[in-house]
Amino acid sequence: MHERTPSLLPREPYFCKMIEHTRELLQKSFELLQQPMPDTFLGRKTQEPFPWQDDA
């Protein structure tokens, strides 16, 4: 039977927490990557006035 060394026993909870945290981060990253890419074109003119606003 495989026995654990006493020196690793205190670290085991730390490693379990780190693995859990890493899995949570991967899940969040995966969810972000599933979203559509944002439109970041700097030259896009989305604030142009409507034609009837130019006459005012």
Side-chain angles (χ1 to χ4, degrees), residues 14-46:
Y14 170 77
F15 289 128
C16 290
K17 282 189 173 191
M18 288 305 295
I19 291 170
E20 181 181 343
H21 181 70
T22 303
R23 287 181 177 161
E24 289 172 4
L25 288 176
L26 284 171
Q27 180 65 33
K28 288 179 183 179
S29 299
F30 182 74
E31 290 170 3
L32 283 174
L33 289 172
Q34 295 302 313
Q35 296 180 2
M37 189 179 297
D39 182 15
T40 58
F41 180 65
L42 296 176
R44 193 166 319 280
K45 296 179 181 180
T46 58

